[in-house]
Amino acid sequence: MNVAVIKYNAGNIYSVVHALGRLGIQPVVTDNADIIRAADYVIFPGQGEASKTMEYLHLHALDKLICSLTQPVLGICIGMQLLCAHSEEGDTDCLGIFDVPVKKFHAPAHEFKIPHMGWDTLTKLKGGLFQDVKEAAFVYFIHSYYVAQCANTVAENDYILPFSAAIQKDNFYATQFHPEKSGSVGEKILRNFLQLST
Amino acid sequence: MSLAKRIIPCLDVKDGQTVKGTNFVNLRQAGDPVELGKKYSEENADELVFLDITASFEGRKTFTDVVRRVAAEVSIPFTVGGGLNELNDVERMLHAGADKVSINSAAIRRPELIDEIAQNFGSQVCIVAIDAKQEENGEWFCYLNGGRLRTEYKLLDWAKEAESRGAGEILFTSMNHDGVKKGFANKQLSELSSSLSIPIIASGGAGCMQDFCDTFKKGKSDAALAASVFHYGEISIPDLKKYLKEQGISVRI
């Protein structure tokens, strides 16, 4: 199984490499278009800021490449947000796979801290990515921006308001949380992803 | 709201080995921080903190190797701290695979370090640890060098400055409560939590399970850190989480 992890200017890319390593898979971390196109599975991970990461993707022609991929693709955290239409972070136009905006959390009361950080639950689970994952399972989130509930939502969380913990459209899957840091539940989700077919 | 309150065991590491005693007698290498970290992770600890208390340069290199191994083998977020004085030190730890760094004395000596970490790596990686002591007049002052050197910084002022410079979380250790095992500094934690908009990690004072319940309810803490009660097996994390859940606190089980 060939797994490519897209190399770009986001942090935390190697966490996902380690997580795959624990599943016995050695992915290739690359920005090489041919290798990415030929991979069975592509992971687009990371933590970072929307405008700076989009600028990098554009400069390295990774934006067009990602949009043209036909194998299962998994965006994680900023990777998910970059797959959307637009982000309020840096007022940035993103890749537009998902025709939904990324908005900033605004805390209505002091008990809500921003970023939304720590272990929180997954509900209303749908589709192969969450096969055998229990409702209300805990995963690790760390984000200040969110995607609202939409037609593509396949998992939800409620923090300040209900939002998309994961979205899916065709071969594109994306999680706001970090499966690579989410213990055994996260490992299950990564395993599920690596069993998806297009 | 279902966001879980976090339970964080803290492991002191010297020359690549954990220094405090441990209840995990069945481990092949009880002193191996990686084995211990994995064990806590399997018990549903929410995060781990590894503090390097080594003094020597060789020991520091050993610690970097420990961090690499933890990153490869542990599937929950972890923080490293101890001896991180410059951006280079922070970068080395993050490149070795740490999710977050905790800075303490270095941040008080040169507060710009917080800005630099936040700008280069994001606020989410930057925990500012504060050791503070309440004096007889009721005022809390921050201390340097593991509590050996008093500063003129008041706790709340410094915590607010740290937040405004880009700290992602505050780890507050009350020197009055640390080691006494009679509960966390909940009054002060509650004031910190209400005054700041970033998460507060309570540290110092854990003695029994009710202490954790109190710091989440009365102290409004977002997370609680402890060392000896976990290492010596006085409290098991699964028992603690079961108890907290029964008390109506959201925990990850």
Side-chain angles (χ1 to χ4, degrees), chain A residues 38-110:
Chain A
D40 300 316
Y41 296 91
V42 175
I43 299 183
F44 182 35
Q47 274 180 0
E49 195 271 338
S51 66
K52 290 198 186 93
T53 43
M54 265 313 293
E55 194 181 305
Y56 183 97
L57 294 180
H58 186 67
L59 264 175
H60 293 77
L62 288 166
D63 49 352
K64 288 192 180 113
L65 170 74
I66 292 169
C67 292
S68 72
L69 295 175
T70 54
Q71 66 274 62
V73 176
L74 177 65
I76 297 173
C77 197
I78 189 71
M80 161 169 160
Q81 297 182 354
L82 294 175
L83 292 174
C84 296
H86 179 269
S87 174
E88 283 185 3
E89 188 174 35
D91 188 17
T92 308
D93 283 331
C94 299
L95 298 171
I97 302 284
F98 297 94
D99 190 20
V100 290
V102 180
K103 296 178 175 175
K104 189 171 183 15
F105 275 129
H106 293 283
H110 207 87

Side-chain angles (χ1 to χ4, degrees), chain A residues 101-123:
Chain A
V102 180
K103 296 178 175 175
K104 189 171 183 15
F105 275 129
H106 293 283
H110 207 87
E111 74 218 61
F112 291 102
K113 309 230 168 157
I114 296 171
H116 174 221
M117 196 200 60
W119 296 83
D120 212 335
T121 52
L122 294 176
T123 57

Side-chain angles (χ1 to χ4, degrees), chain B residues 158-170:
Chain B
W158 172 235
K160 283 182 177 168
E161 179 175 342
E163 178 181 35
S164 71
R165 286 180 180 275
E169 293 172 81
I170 300 289

